Amino acid sequence: MLENFSYCPILHARVAEIKALFQLPAASKDRLFPLIVARPWPNANFLVRTWEKIAEAFGTRRFALDLDRSRRNSGGNRPAAAEFDRLFLEAGGFENYYAMIADIPAAIPVLRVAGGGVPQFEQQAVHIDALERGLVVRLEYDTVTNPLAIVDQVLARFEDDVTIFVDAGWSNDLLSREVWVSGIVQRITDIRPEVEIVVNGSSFPSSFVDIGDRGEIPVRERYLYNNLTRRHNAAILIYGDWGSTRPPSDPVPMKNIPRIDLPENIDWISFRRDRDLDDDEDYSDIARRVIADPSWPADLNIWGTYIIECTANELPGAIRSPAVAASARINIHLHRQAFFGADNIVGDGDEPFTDD
């Protein structure tokens, strides 16, 4: 399933992520196989708007489609919320979920897992077989209580076209979860060494109070992946992360202090208003510091860098909120990770950018 993909991020269907994905160069999108965690689109009356936004952002390329549990039972007067809740119903082996997948040609099903097991496993398997698109299994840290049993069950039932995302979740100390991930990788490799395994997780910080006006933060997801590739020579491991994002509900509320992040291959460089230096610094001031920094990639012509330059020059489309700053960061991060290790990092050339 993933023979041509070097990067498999987990992206939540939030405005910042979808906008960042939409603005990626086509060459970058072609190197991605994302697992998209869906939710109702903000202010949309019907759930179909979510599928439309994903298609606008990613075209007809294949992706795995999961559901955002944090948005279940959210209530509200719009039909989209009720439509979304019905996708979680176990009746008929999650019949509603698989029927929805059938209506989205590019979507690959993600096995519905709950706690320590797979509800109505055989009925789900029948739906998966009927779709003939393959299967993605997502094993989440602190969510799946018995991942090894699920691995055994899945690999005994499905012979071909199974990909397993081992998601270490979010943590400031992501490397502490290496043993948990390694145990699952070893189990898969012992049973079926040809099965593709995507290693995911997120270490994007929950606080930036200690970085001053400029700080370099390691992308620990890369360190986790590198450690596992050294340990498991026989495994087919593919790199993934959360696209430089945190969970839908942040562990620590963030203060709205202007900050622009510049992703590199194995670091995020964060430029932030430092109250000890200049309490009046705004996004334009910070952007000018970013493009004057030795780390600035002057030859990287993609939307994320374009928006930072617009901000520095106080042009239309400039960053004026954390949401737009996040989209710029995610866009650059996805692009860099898609071309990680490649000889050339392709940009958009002279194509105009759109900003809606």
Side-chain angles (χ1 to χ4, degrees):
M1 187 185 298
L2 304 180
E3 295 87 353
N4 299 318
F5 301 103
S6 56
Y7 178 41
C8 300
I10 292 174
L11 300 175
H12 290 82
R14 296 177 287 196
V15 174
E17 279 110 313
I18 296 302
K19 184 171 186 176
L21 185 63
F22 173 78
Q23 297 286 7
L24 273 181
S28 305
K29 295 180 188 181
D30 290 342
R31 298 173 71 92
L32 298 182
F33 179 87
L35 185 153
I36 298 179
V37 186
R39 56 166 63 182
W41 195 255
N43 301 318
N45 286 322
F46 299 100
L47 190 58
V48 68
R49 188 60 181 149
T50 297
W51 320 138
E52 290 171 349
K53 295 299 288 188
I54 293 172
E56 289 171 12
F58 207 54
T60 59
R61 299 171 182 85
R62 294 184 305 150
F63 63 95
L65 184 52
D66 204 354
L67 303 176
D68 189 342
R69 290 187 305 275
S70 73
R71 295 295 170 175
R72 185 181 183 186
N73 300 322
S74 60
N77 298 322
R78 299 178 191 275
E83 292 178 77
F84 186 64
D85 289 345
R86 285 196 288 271
L87 300 180
F88 289 88
L89 297 178
E90 297 181 10
F94 293 88
E95 182 176 5
N96 293 337
Y97 167 78
Y98 289 104
M100 176 269 296
I101 291 288
D103 289 337
I104 305 172
I108 308 300
V110 176
L111 187 71
R112 311 321 304 152
V113 174
V118 183
Q120 301 193 39
F121 176 74
E122 187 53 38
Q123 284 184 281
Q124 288 199 59
V126 170
H127 293 311
I128 293 162
D129 290 340
L131 286 169
E132 296 184 330
R133 299 183 192 175
L135 171 65
V136 166
V137 180
R138 182 186 178 197
L139 303 175
E140 301 175 69
Y141 184 88
D142 268 352
T143 299
V144 176
T145 58
N146 196 351
L148 300 185
I150 294 174
V151 167
D152 293 347
Q153 187 177 28
V154 167
L155 296 186
R157 173 60 174 78
F158 295 97
E159 296 184 0
D160 301 306
D161 219 9
V162 176
T163 295
I164 299 179
F165 278 60
V166 185
D167 182 4
W170 177 89
S171 175
N172 278 324
D173 185 18
L174 192 65
L175 295 178
S176 68
R177 300 180 179 180
E178 180 182 336
V179 172
W180 181 83
V181 177
S182 181
I184 299 172
V185 171
Q186 188 62 57
R187 186 63 152 255
I188 297 167
T189 309
D190 286 344
I191 300 172
R192 297 254 296 279
E194 74 278 9
V195 170
E196 300 159 326
I197 306 167
V198 180
V199 177
N200 291 88
S202 171
S203 66
F204 193 76
S206 58
S207 173
F208 294 82
V209 295
D210 296 328
I211 69 168
D213 67 338
R214 183 190 187 278
E216 297 185 12
I217 302 160
V219 179
R220 292 183 175 88
E221 295 89 317
R222 271 286 168 194
Y223 293 90
L224 174 64
Y225 172 78
N226 291 341
N227 290 349
L228 290 163
T229 56
R230 285 191 291 268
R231 178 179 294 189
H232 298 281
N233 294 327
I236 301 176
L237 296 179
I238 300 169
Y239 175 75
D241 55 31
W242 286 18
S244 77
T245 69
R246 291 180 297 270
S249 298
D250 292 330
V252 180
M254 299 289 288
K255 293 183 179 180
N256 186 8
I257 297 174
R259 193 190 79 247
I260 296 175
D261 305 306
L262 181 62
E264 296 193 308
N265 284 341
I266 58 173
D267 295 284
W268 296 297
I269 304 177
S270 292
F271 300 80
R272 186 175 185 261
R273 176 200 289 170
D274 188 338
R275 289 182 176 177
D276 293 334
L277 298 177
D278 187 352
D279 197 25
D280 296 325
E281 193 176 42
D282 62 14
Y283 281 110
S284 295
D285 298 319
I286 295 171
R288 284 189 280 271
R289 284 203 283 119
V290 175
I291 64 175
D293 194 84
S295 63
W296 176 250
D299 59 345
L300 185 58
N301 184 28
I302 61 173
W303 178 80
T305 54
Y306 167 77
I307 288 299
I308 295 173
E309 289 176 332
C310 285
T311 306
N313 294 306
E314 302 184 52
L315 297 174
I319 297 170
R320 293 189 175 89
S321 69
V324 179
S327 283
R329 178 192 72 240
I330 296 164
N331 179 263
I332 299 169
H333 177 88
L334 294 176
H335 183 75
R336 284 201 177 278
Q337 297 306 323
F339 282 93
F340 188 93
D343 293 334
N344 296 307
I345 300 181
V346 179
D348 263 340
D350 295 325
E351 295 180 15
F353 297 106
T354 60
D355 189 39
D356 50 13

